[in-house]
Amino acid sequence: MDYREYIANKLNTNGVEAADIALPPNSEMGDYALPCFKLAKVMRKSPVMIAEELKNGFVCDGVISEVSAVNGYLNFKINKTGLSSSVISEILASGADYGSSRLGTGKTVCIDYSSVNIAKPFHIGHLSTTVLGGALYKIYKFLGYNVVGINHLGDYGTQFGKLICAYKKWGDRDEVQKGGIHAINALYVRFNEQADEQMEAEAREYFRLIESGDKEANELFDWFKSLTLEYVKSIYCKLNITFDSYAGERFYTDKMQPVIDELREKNLIKTSEGAQIVDLEPYGMPPCLILRSDGASLYATRDLAAAIYRKNTYDFYKCLYVVAYQQNLHFKQFFKVLELMGKPWAKDLVHVAYGMVSLEDGAMSTRKGKVVWLEDVINKCVEKAYAVIDEKNPELEDKHDIAQTVGLGAVIFGALYNNKIKDVTFSYDKVLSFEGETSVYVQYTCARANSVLAKSGKKIELPPEYVPNNVEFEVVKALAAFPQTVCDAAEKYEPSLIARYAVDLAQKYNKFYIECKILTAEGEVKDYRLALTKAVHTALSNALALLGIGVPEKM
């Protein structure tokens, strides 16, 4: 049962929703609380008076045992036995499905994320879009939506002419095949270091040949693309990332003209200094460029075509674009153009903006070759995880596999723990700490719970009438909050809510582990605490799984 939803429904007044129900800072005040300040504007009364009136009209039952009004807050105390029994029973019965729902049945969510560039390796800057989009993919699936993961490949532009030019001048097929994407990238960097006017002209001509269907140019391009996809898919596999479509910019080459024609038919296009634009000045934005003065298309042209194609193909409920906040204006512009075209579904397009991730020594530039590859970050995290695990538990079996799970988890969690819009400086020491707000701490808590269960050797049986003490009940309340946390993460496009939930639950369980005997307890006390431990292990595992993070049995 979602108790916040239960309280909101029982109040049934002035638009109170489950998200409005909070956890009081002091559990002595209550298990849940409704701040009445938001209602003051609607009801035209003081929060104190509103809380008192709601308290007087509230009928306690087998779920809510006590209601009080304190300084504008309406506090609720839950029937401990009832809540504990129902929550733990549900978790034990649901297992890996605990927290899931059929909320999204019949609805499709498209998620455009990661969107790598052909011939360029992943660098640390690609981390956020990849793991943020991957987590949203899993969260929406968990809530019953049909999810379409789209990798909108950067496979269009003069850079591919530059690449062919560089390959023709300096490349060796066997060496490039062997070196893969790093060999391709080295050629690209070399071109930018040595390019003169003649080479730039040759690059433009090679790109023109790609566009015009030249066999040799397109064979080279397709080869570069296959080497890129082979590489990126290996990274995606490690990070538990899924895509259903790799339709990139090039895919929309023949789909842009109908969009341009429609813009003209609706008198939305104007000519400005030879370029074709949609004037957005009345809406407080610069013009949206549709065609350059030489007739070439731009990002907006291809994004308009892509949005229309996705609506026609998937009939999405929402289409999310997981792209850095530097592109805020671009998305506002092309969303507005679709709205002006009379597309009622333009309101269903969402730019999920995020901050940048960098290492402690600064930013990167692919063009200049000064870049920190994501695979190197992953490998270093795994190596450091192995060293930490080996030091803490040298006799542990399967240390290499466990280090892989821990290291990858640290990379993902490090990018997802903070609010998505914040810039993040990635620190190996911080993300691999066994203490603090890290995936390692959560994974270690899972391993601890698993060890308790293994040592007990008992079948899990929950005593039906057990009354939990205050420490146990804090764990129960945290367990009960998981389903709503998942819904909130989807609604706000914020996987960090789940990451923070996992840390909070782990902290509450570890407090319980230290203060309450488990294996040396007796009778129904032992049975209850083992059942609680099993429930915690399940909820933490589910939370980490939604972020794309695995759980080792031992650490």
Side-chain angles (χ1 to χ4, degrees), residues 496-512:
S496 67
L497 295 177
I498 294 175
R500 290 178 178 274
Y501 168 86
V503 170
D504 179 66
L505 176 58
Q507 289 171 339
K508 286 181 168 61
Y509 176 77
N510 284 320
K511 185 174 189 294
F512 155 76

Side-chain angles (χ1 to χ4, degrees), residues 182-412:
H182 291 292
I184 301 172
N185 184 254
L187 289 172
Y188 180 72
V189 171
R190 186 173 178 181
F191 179 94
N192 283 290
E193 288 174 343
Q194 300 185 22
D196 53 25
E197 287 186 16
Q198 182 180 346
M199 289 171 63
E200 293 284 0
E202 289 177 11
R204 287 193 293 272
E205 175 59 17
Y206 279 123
F207 179 58
R208 188 193 68 77
L209 289 172
I210 293 173
E211 287 191 298
S212 62
D214 179 79
K215 183 180 179 183
E216 182 190 17
N218 277 280
E219 283 179 351
L220 283 172
F221 176 83
D222 289 338
W223 178 43
F224 297 149
K225 182 175 180 177
S226 68
L227 290 174
T228 303
L229 289 179
E230 180 183 343
Y231 161 80
V232 299
K233 286 180 180 179
S234 69
I235 302 292
Y236 291 142
C237 183
K238 287 181 179 180
L239 295 173
N240 295 309
I241 298 297
T242 303
F243 289 101
D244 305 289
S245 168
Y246 282 89
E249 293 183 83
R250 196 177 177 207
F251 177 77
Y252 298 101
T253 302
D254 61 350
K255 298 170 181 61
M256 289 185 285
Q257 192 58 48
V259 177
I260 296 166
D261 292 342
E262 184 177 347
L263 286 167
R264 286 188 174 129
E265 288 168 11
K266 293 178 176 177
N267 296 317
L268 291 170
I269 281 190
K270 295 182 179 180
T271 301
S272 175
E273 298 180 5
Q276 303 293 296
I277 68 163
V278 175
D279 182 14
L280 298 178
E281 186 176 352
Y283 309 100
M285 287 181 274
C288 182
L289 297 175
I290 303 299
L291 294 173
R292 290 196 310 226
S293 56
D294 61 2
S297 62
L298 294 106
Y299 284 121
T301 329
R302 296 186 284 278
D303 280 344
L304 289 168
I308 292 169
Y309 173 84
R310 291 169 188 174
K311 184 61 181 178
N312 292 338
T313 304
Y314 304 114
D315 190 24
F316 54 73
Y317 164 70
K318 285 184 182 179
C319 183
L320 313 184
Y321 296 82
V322 185
V323 182
Y325 62 70
Q326 286 90 338
Q327 297 298 317
N328 282 354
L329 177 60
H330 167 75
F331 284 100
K332 287 179 182 177
Q333 286 178 310
F334 104 78
F335 290 175
K336 189 65 181 180
V337 171
L338 286 167
E339 181 187 327
L340 294 174
M341 291 174 74
K343 309 297 183 187
W345 46 266
K347 66 181 183 347
D348 303 324
L349 305 177
V350 181
H351 176 207
V352 181
Y354 61 84
M356 304 306 292
V357 175
S358 62
L359 293 179
E360 290 171 302
D361 57 358
M364 299 73 62
S365 167
T366 310
R367 178 172 295 185
K368 296 179 181 178
K370 297 177 181 178
V371 61
V372 177
W373 305 127
L374 181 54
E375 63 186 306
D376 292 339
V377 174
I378 290 173
N379 291 338
K380 188 171 180 178
C381 249
V382 171
E383 289 171 9
K384 284 181 170 287
Y386 181 85
V388 172
I389 291 168
D390 187 50
E391 180 182 347
K392 285 185 172 290
N393 193 351
E395 303 303 317
L396 184 65
E397 296 179 357
D398 303 320
K399 280 185 286 188
H400 287 285
D401 290 342
I402 293 170
Q404 186 81 5
T405 302
V406 171
L408 285 166
V411 172
I412 295 169

Side-chain angles (χ1 to χ4, degrees), residues 476-548:
V476 169
K477 286 192 292 182
L479 289 169
F482 183 57
Q484 186 61 46
T485 301
V486 177
C487 291
D488 291 346
E491 183 181 344
K492 297 175 182 176
Y493 319 111
E494 194 61 86
S496 67
L497 295 177
I498 294 175
R500 290 178 178 274
Y501 168 86
V503 170
D504 179 66
L505 176 58
Q507 289 171 339
K508 286 181 168 61
Y509 176 77
N510 284 320
K511 185 174 189 294
F512 155 76
Y513 177 86
I514 291 168
E515 295 186 14
C516 301
K517 296 177 181 178
I518 304 175
L519 293 175
T520 57
E522 297 180 351
E524 68 171 15
V525 175
K526 182 174 184 177
D527 289 341
Y528 177 83
R529 291 176 179 174
L530 288 173
L532 185 63
T533 296
K534 177 66 175 176
V536 167
H537 185 275
T538 299
L540 287 179
S541 298
N542 290 1
L544 290 179
L546 291 177
L547 304 179

